[in-house]
Amino acid sequence: NAGVMQNPRHLVRRRGQEARLRCSPMKGHSHVYWYRQLPEEGLKFMVYLQKENIIDESGMPKERFSAEFPKEGPSILRIQQVVRGDSAAYFCASSPIQTDTIYFGEGSWLTVV
Amino acid sequence: RKEVEQDPGPFNVPEGATVAFNCTYSNSASQSFFWYRQDCRKEPKLLMSVYSSGNEDGRFTAQLNRASQYISLLIRDSKLSDSATYLCVVNFGNEKLTFGTGTRLTIIP
C-alpha cells in the first residue's frame, strides 16, 4: 500500500512564475491536509480538504495560493506569481476520516530564485 | 504567545544519557497531544501519542500535565539514531494539528 505521494519532490521557479504541487493520498483516504515549513521554522497548517470540498483554509495566505482536491486525481496546491518568501517545504498529509492520525508525504521543496 | 511552545535547543547529549524535553500549550480545552520526530529534510513521523495517564514505548516516555498545560518526552539510554528534531503537536479540537517549532537533539558518540 503506497504511502502519501507528493510530486515534484523539488521544484525551482523564478519569481513571478506559478508553482503546482501535487499530492496523492494513501489509498482509501479522503481527507488531505497541506502544511508549509519555512526554513528553520515549524510546520504551519495551510488547508484541510475533503473530496471536492475545502473544509478549513484558515492557514492559506489570502492571495496567490489556492488548493483543490477533485473527485478524481490528486490534491493540488497552486501558488501563483511566486516570490522568494514562498521558498519552503510543502508537506501533504492524509487520513481516512477526520482524525488525529495523519500520514505525511515526503514533501515538496520549492525554491524561488 | 505561541499556541505550542518548545525550547528549540540544540540539545547535545552523550550517547547513553537520558534527555527530557518539555512543551507548553496555550489552550486548556486541547483535546489530544503527540510527539513527532523529523529528520533533516524529511517528513514528520509520529513517535507517540500522549495520554493523561502517561505512556511508555521502549526507551521513550511521554507525560501530559493538563493542569499546567505541558507535555514532556523522556528518552532513556539515548542512541545515535535518536538525533533528530522532536515536534510537540496538539489538536485544539479544530480539525487540524498544531505543531511546535521543534527541539533539535544531537546525540554525541
Side-chain angles (χ1 to χ4, degrees):
Chain A
N1 187 17
V4 178
M5 304 300 291
Q6 289 189 246
N7 69 84
R9 294 293 316 283
H10 300 276
L11 182 64
V12 179
R13 284 288 178 266
R14 296 186 184 279
R15 281 178 294 173
Q17 291 185 317
E18 178 179 288
R20 283 192 183 220
L21 309 177
R22 288 175 290 277
C23 170
S24 296
M26 288 178 71
K27 188 176 180 181
H29 288 194
S30 59
H31 298 244
V32 166
Y33 308 79
W34 285 94
Y35 283 79
R36 175 166 68 172
Q37 187 171 34
L38 295 168
E40 304 301 320
E41 293 190 16
L43 276 81
K44 299 294 184 188
F45 169 80
M46 299 183 76
V47 62
Y48 163 40
L49 310 103
Q50 294 178 28
K51 285 282 187 181
E52 300 185 280
N53 287 304
I54 296 174
I55 306 303
D56 182 345
E57 56 181 348
S58 58
M60 288 280 271
K62 293 290 185 284
E63 298 177 346
R64 303 187 296 108
F65 284 71
S66 62
E68 62 176 7
F69 188 16
K71 186 177 180 181
E72 301 292 337
S75 174
I76 295 176
L77 180 67
R78 182 183 178 202
I79 311 171
Q80 295 178 290
Q81 299 174 319
V82 296
V83 300
R84 288 235 172 98
D86 297 332
S87 296
Y90 292 83
F91 289 100
C92 171
S94 74
S95 64
I97 57 174
Q98 195 275 305
T99 175
D100 288 336
T101 305
I102 63 175
Y103 301 85
F104 282 91
E106 293 183 314
S108 290
W109 267 259
L110 172 65
T111 302
V112 180
V113 297
Chain B
R1 183 186 172 187
K2 290 182 181 177
E3 292 181 290
V4 180
E5 287 204 69
Q6 297 182 250
D7 180 346
F11 284 59
N12 298 314
V13 174
E15 192 174 6
T18 295
V19 61
F21 311 132
N22 283 337
C23 162
T24 57
Y25 58 94
S26 61
N27 187 340
S28 60
S30 303
Q31 295 190 347
S32 47
F33 310 88
F34 310 89
W35 284 101
Y36 275 69
R37 170 195 169 127
Q38 186 175 25
D39 293 287
C40 188
R41 296 191 66 80
K42 298 286 189 180
E43 75 276 23
K45 293 184 178 177
L46 178 65
L47 181 65
M48 57 199 308
S49 302
V50 188
Y51 305 118
S52 296
S53 55
N55 50 308
E56 187 173 314
D57 183 2
R59 298 181 293 108
F60 298 82
T61 300
Q63 296 277 354
L64 167 63
N65 185 320
R66 282 191 182 271
S68 301
Q69 294 180 210
Y70 80 80
I71 309 149
S72 64
L73 177 68
L74 181 78
I75 306 174
R76 290 180 298 277
D77 187 23
S78 53
K79 312 289 185 192
L80 295 176
S81 57
D82 294 334
S83 297
T85 297
Y86 289 84
L87 306 172
C88 176
V89 184
V90 178
N91 181 342
F92 289 109
N94 51 4
E95 299 180 323
K96 56 183 180 276
L97 299 181
T98 300
F99 286 74
T101 53
T103 298
R104 189 176 300 177
L105 171 66
T106 301
I107 305 300
I108 303 166

